[in-house]
Amino acid sequence: MDSPHGAAVKAENFGLKGPRGWVFRGVDVDAAPGSLIALEGPSGSGRTCLLLALTGRMKPTEGYAEVGGHRLPKRMTAVRRSAGLGPVPGVTDLDPALTVAEQLREGALLQRRYEGPVRALLRSPRERAAATAARIDAALAEAGLDVAALPKGPRTSIRDLERLEALRLSVAIALLGRPRLLAVDDTDLKLSGAERAEAWDLLRGLAAAGTTVLAVCSEAPDGAVPLRTRRAAPEPVEPGGSTASAAPDAPSSYTDEPADTDEPTDTEAAAAPEAAAETTEAETTEAGTTEAGTTEAGTDEAGTDETGTGEEPRSGADDDAHDTAKETADAIAEARSA
């Protein structure tokens, strides 16, 4: 049952599937109002997506969740109105170009414009300014941020804040809307042991005051309601060789070269007769050229040897060939004279 301020958080078989597979799946939780829920797990296990889904910013795929009596995913808008986002990288980043005072005024203006009651717009400018200043002071006090203690007070640049100071400022801006559920991402990231203890003391104090807190961390602190995530298992391979979550990638052995097969392709079969004809003609020409070259070489060699200008001595086989060629020449001469 909900308290006047905090929101109960329940989930059963809660899951979200993206284009590449399951982001998180099978999440079960039952936390009372004013609980500190520590969403722990390794990086890449879907912690931030689960945080955004439980605050109505992402639509789940299976199961159900209920936040402050509003069922997800049917009443996502109502959950968004009752849940405030603290520091969530890529969603509620502080603007490094602003000062602390400017960031607080911007946050208060957005809360008044989109989440404040309509009757608040009917107040005089002086009344609205006083109400805004009171809300900012109350939120800073709850977040434990002393603006006067900053290096330049309210004129301190956002980029000059320490990690814990930036976390407190983000929490204060989220508290301006008096959320029933406060979500904080990367609670213990880049914090020393002492700073991590201070951050958890801050969130425990907010939970004790009645606000339900959902904090992403690498390790849950003592006394928190643990909610663990784990990396999703790979998608099973379907008979076609692809997975259900994404289109199959090209195999690692893929190249632009055609496959090496014994059967000729259509282009090769069409070009085969022409290639065979060209090969036969080339062989015939080459044979004729070879015979002619051999005869000329033999004649030149014989003539060279007769004149005694050969550089190398002839072998016995060369002598026999020379005698045979001479006898043939004499026989031809006798036949012509007859």
Side-chain angles (χ1 to χ4, degrees):
M1 182 176 180
D2 284 346
S3 68
H5 186 62
V9 178
K10 299 179 181 179
E12 183 177 341
N13 197 30
F14 201 51
L16 186 149
K17 188 175 184 180
R20 296 179 179 273
W22 288 100
V23 181
F24 60 84
R25 194 177 191 185
V27 175
D28 299 312
V29 64
D30 188 356
S35 298
L36 173 58
I37 307 171
L39 206 171
E40 65 174 350
S43 179
S45 60
R47 300 176 303 174
T48 301
C49 291
L50 177 55
L51 178 143
L52 294 174
L54 288 174
T55 55
R57 269 75 177 183
M58 296 186 76
K59 188 175 182 179
T61 306
E62 70 175 8
Y64 84 96
E66 192 174 287
V67 178
H70 304 298
R71 192 179 181 93
L72 292 171
K74 186 176 181 180
R75 303 196 63 188
M76 293 178 64
T77 302
V79 172
R80 283 197 300 270
R81 289 174 180 168
S82 63
L85 293 183
V88 180
V91 181
T92 59
D93 297 305
L94 300 175
D95 190 342
L98 299 180
T99 64
V100 172
E102 291 169 342
Q103 191 80 68
L104 286 167
R105 283 197 299 270
E106 181 184 85
L109 179 63
L110 292 174
Q111 294 288 347
R112 186 182 68 185
R113 171 65 179 83
Y114 295 108
E115 298 183 12
V118 177
R119 63 177 179 272
L121 300 177
L122 302 177
R123 299 173 183 173
S124 66
R126 181 175 297 181
E127 290 177 337
R128 290 201 301 268
T132 298
R135 289 170 55 209
I136 290 176
D137 291 341
L140 289 173
E142 289 184 80
L145 180 61
D146 186 2
V147 176
L150 297 176
K152 296 181 180 180
R155 299 182 61 184
T156 302
S157 176
I158 296 296
R159 65 169 60 93
D160 296 331
L161 294 177
E162 299 292 337
R163 171 74 175 91
L164 183 58
E165 293 172 341
L167 185 146
R168 291 183 183 275
L169 178 59
S170 295
V171 169
I173 294 173
L175 293 175
L176 290 172
R178 296 190 59 79
R180 301 177 64 191
L181 172 65
L182 173 66
V184 180
D185 195 11
D186 292 337
T187 304
D188 52 4
L189 179 66
K190 296 181 180 179
L191 293 179
S192 63
E195 291 173 336
R196 188 176 295 118
E198 288 186 43
W200 285 120
D201 288 343
L202 164 63
L203 299 182
R204 284 194 190 94
L206 294 174
T211 302
T212 304
V213 179
L214 175 62
V216 171
C217 59
S218 58
E219 184 177 356
D222 296 335
V225 178
L227 179 58
R228 297 180 176 86
T229 60
R230 60 183 182 275
R231 291 188 178 91
E235 287 290 318
V237 179
E238 294 181 346
S242 62
T243 62
S245 60
D249 297 330
S252 57
S253 60
Y254 172 78
T255 63
D256 292 333
E257 298 178 0
D260 185 10
T261 58
D262 294 335
E263 297 181 0
T265 61
D266 295 339
T267 305
E268 293 174 347
E274 298 179 2
E278 293 178 358
T279 303
T280 305
E281 182 179 354
E283 290 177 352
T284 305
T285 305
E286 184 179 359
T289 305
T290 304
E291 292 177 359
T294 303
T295 304
E296 293 177 0
T299 305
D300 293 342
E301 186 178 357
T304 305
D305 291 338
E306 287 179 359
T307 57
T309 59
E311 296 180 358
E312 296 182 0
R314 289 198 300 264
S315 61
D318 293 338
D319 293 338
D320 294 341
H322 174 68
D323 294 341
T324 303
K326 186 176 181 181
E327 292 175 357
T328 303
D330 293 343
I332 294 173
E334 291 177 359
R336 287 179 179 177
S337 60

